[in-house]
């Protein structure tokens, strides 16, 4: 039997889940057509790309997250940078969805897709994973590397989904839009946000500026509390050992180095830092 193409696998995931979508332009319901398009009742049409993702962002966005950054991020990830975090996230999600027939999980700001793919791979085959990100290069890499999930270029401030769609919403080191997130989450759904803590990459932050790309969203624990009845937090801290190659990739992948002078980048590259501290808070919002 001929193996089905990656694009075909992604098309099947879309066809099976067409009812989850709503048009990002007019908010009407959508259908996945045989010629591989998501089309709404008003005929706004979005093609499945050759690589297997759909661009549902009505306007083109240029982001600083480019191909080089996502490739660097992938090298860091495959070397285990996120492993302890992912293990904990997987356990939290699994506990939540294990009794559900066909759970739906979205990663808002899914980047190059590996977090969602890793978590969903540990859950039942009936799980639907949806990754959205505004950075096309990330979504393209995700669609190629992790077929069988739904990969969308979409703005998390205009989520192209029906109300009450997802059992779990992940939001890892990415901006949030609480009004949209709570709209598309089921009332009994679980929101899981990961934010960097004080010691996150402190060895690099002493070289670069401290506050590059701090997201101006107020205190995320308080914000989560405004939208969910129950908020729990867990801190997770570990060391990630570096060699010269990983140090270079880490500098490329992190927004910390954006706008930094050549001198700063050079001194970071020559710093021979043996390990960096990874320090996150996991914020879990539910309506229990
Ligand atoms: C630091 S990266 C984290 C990516 C991934 N979650 C990870 O941990 O590797 C932040 C991501 O948020 C995405 N992002 C920023 N604003 C967005 C928006 N309005 N809608 C969708 N994605 C957005 C960026 O494109 C980027 O991929
Ligand atoms: Zn429409």
């Amino acid at each position: 039997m001929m193996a089905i193409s990656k694009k075909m696998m992604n098309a099947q995931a879309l066809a099976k889940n067409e009812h989850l979508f709503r048009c990002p332009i007019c908010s009407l319901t959508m259908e996945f057509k045989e010629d591989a398009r998501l089309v709404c009742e008003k005929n706004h049409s979005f093609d499945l790309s050759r690589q297997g993702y759909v661009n549902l962002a009505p306007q083109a966005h240029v982001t600083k997250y480019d191909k080089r950054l996502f490739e660097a991020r992938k090298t860091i990830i495959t070397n285990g940078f996120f492993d302890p975090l992912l293990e904990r996230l997987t356990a939290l999600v699994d506990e939540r969805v294990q009794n559900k027939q066909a759970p739906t999980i979205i990663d808002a700001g899914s980047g190059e897709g590996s977090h969602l793919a890793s978590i969903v791979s540990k859950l039942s085959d009936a799980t639907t994973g949806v990754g959205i990100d505004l950075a096309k290069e990330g979504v393209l890499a995700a669609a190629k590397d992790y077929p069988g999930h739904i990969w969308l270029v979409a703005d998390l401030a205009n989520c192209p989904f029906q109300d009450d769609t997802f059992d779990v919403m992940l939001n890892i080191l990415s901006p949030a839009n609480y009004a949209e997130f709570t709209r598309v989450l089921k009332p009994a759904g679980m929101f899981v946000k990961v934010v960097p803590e004080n010691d996150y990459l402190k060895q690099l932050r002493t070289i670069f500026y401290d506050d590059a790309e701090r997201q101006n969203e107020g205190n995320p624990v308080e914000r989560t509390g405004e939208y969910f009845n129950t908020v729990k937090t867990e801190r997770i801290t570990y060391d990630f050992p570096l060699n010269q190659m990983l140090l270079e990739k880490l500098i490329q992948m992190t927004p910390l180095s954006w706008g930094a002078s050549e001198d700063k980048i050079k001194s970071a590259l020559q710093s021979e830092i043996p390990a960096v501290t990874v320090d996150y808070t996991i914020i879990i919002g539910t309506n229990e």
Side-chain angles (χ1 to χ4, degrees), residues 63 65 69-70 73 77 82 107-112 114-115 132-135 154-157 171-175 213 215 253 255:
T63 79
Y65 290 89
L69 180 143
F70 283 116
R73 214 167 169 87
I77 289 170
F82 287 101
D107 186 1
S110 49
E112 49 57 76
S114 62
H115 301 334
I132 70 168
D133 201 292
L134 216 39
D155 188 350
L156 51 79
N171 181 226
I172 305 169
L173 305 173
S174 297
E213 223 217 10
Q215 277 136 21
M253 88 161 203

Side-chain angles (χ1 to χ4, degrees), residues 23 25-26 28-30 33 37-46:
C23 177
I25 297 170
C26 69
L28 292 176
T29 54
M30 304 190 89
K33 302 278 191 194
R37 294 179 300 140
L38 270 171
V39 186
C40 82
E41 289 170 49
K42 277 203 175 152
N43 229 10
H44 297 123
S45 170
F46 306 87

Side-chain angles (χ1 to χ4, degrees), residues 6-286:
K6 291 179 184 177
K7 179 176 174 180
M8 188 67 85
M9 286 172 75
N10 294 354
Q12 284 176 352
L14 281 160
K16 207 172 92 190
N17 291 287
E18 59 181 3
H19 57 283
L20 305 185
F21 291 91
R22 77 169 206 188
C23 177
I25 297 170
C26 69
S27 301
L28 292 176
T29 54
M30 304 190 89
E31 255 185 82
F32 189 69
K33 302 278 191 194
E34 288 212 336
D35 57 354
R37 294 179 300 140
L38 270 171
V39 186
C40 82
E41 289 170 49
K42 277 203 175 152
N43 229 10
H44 297 123
S45 170
F46 306 87
D47 292 338
L48 180 65
S49 73
R50 188 168 46 84
Q51 298 92 346
Y53 68 89
V54 182
N55 187 342
L56 283 169
Q59 276 106 33
H61 292 267
V62 178
T63 79
K64 282 191 174 178
Y65 290 89
D66 59 13
K67 193 168 176 196
R68 183 164 168 264
L69 180 143
F70 283 116
E71 280 170 4
R73 214 167 169 87
K74 187 163 186 106
T75 306
I76 291 291
I77 289 170
T78 49
N79 279 277
F81 184 83
F82 287 101
D83 285 0
L85 173 70
L86 284 171
E87 208 174 299
R88 185 63 196 129
L89 293 179
T90 305
L92 282 166
V93 176
D94 186 32
E95 196 187 338
R96 188 77 185 182
V97 301
Q98 59 188 342
N99 296 323
K100 301 218 180 303
Q101 292 281 314
T104 44
I105 299 176
I106 180 168
D107 186 1
S110 49
E112 49 57 76
S114 62
H115 301 334
L116 179 73
S118 160
I119 292 169
V120 171
S121 74
K122 311 272 174 16
L123 307 173
S124 95
D125 288 347
T127 308
T128 295
V130 179
I132 70 168
D133 201 292
L134 216 39
K136 194 181 109 185
E137 291 298 345
V139 179
L140 193 154
K144 281 207 308 210
D145 292 347
Y146 308 108
H149 307 291
I150 294 174
W151 300 110
L152 309 168
V153 178
D155 188 350
L156 51 79
N158 179 21
C159 288
F161 309 106
Q162 300 290 338
D163 300 357
D164 305 344
T165 290
F166 294 101
D167 293 297
V168 175
M169 155 98 50
L170 303 167
N171 181 226
I172 305 169
L173 305 173
S174 297
N177 184 301
Y178 286 88
E180 273 298 80
F181 289 1
T182 45
R183 181 183 68 76
V184 301
L185 252 186
K186 291 180 185 170
M190 177 172 72
F191 174 59
V192 182
K193 182 170 178 67
V194 177
V195 293
E197 265 300 338
N198 288 344
D199 287 343
Y200 185 57
L201 302 182
K202 63 180 176 192
Q203 299 81 353
L204 285 178
R205 279 167 142 172
T206 54
I207 302 173
F208 295 111
Y209 324 95
D210 192 1
D211 55 359
E213 223 217 10
R214 275 283 159 103
Q215 277 136 21
N216 190 17
E217 292 179 346
N219 177 329
V221 178
E222 281 172 19
R223 293 284 284 147
T224 306
E226 289 166 24
Y227 286 85
F228 294 91
N229 297 341
T230 308
V231 180
K232 292 186 187 143
T233 61
E234 290 182 18
R235 187 144 173 190
I236 181 160
T237 312
Y238 49 92
D239 283 337
F240 178 66
L242 291 176
N243 56 30
Q244 190 59 27
M245 182 278 285
L246 290 173
L247 176 63
E248 278 172 31
K249 298 289 177 195
L250 192 63
I251 291 166
Q252 282 172 21
M253 88 161 203
T254 153
L256 273 178
S257 61
W258 291 352
S261 66
E262 289 286 314
D263 278 358
K264 284 226 163 113
I265 293 184
K266 210 166 146 198
S267 66
L269 286 170
Q270 289 170 352
S271 62
E272 296 185 358
I273 297 169
V276 278
T277 306
V278 185
D279 186 15
Y280 299 122
T281 287
I282 306 173
I283 305 167
I284 303 146
T286 53

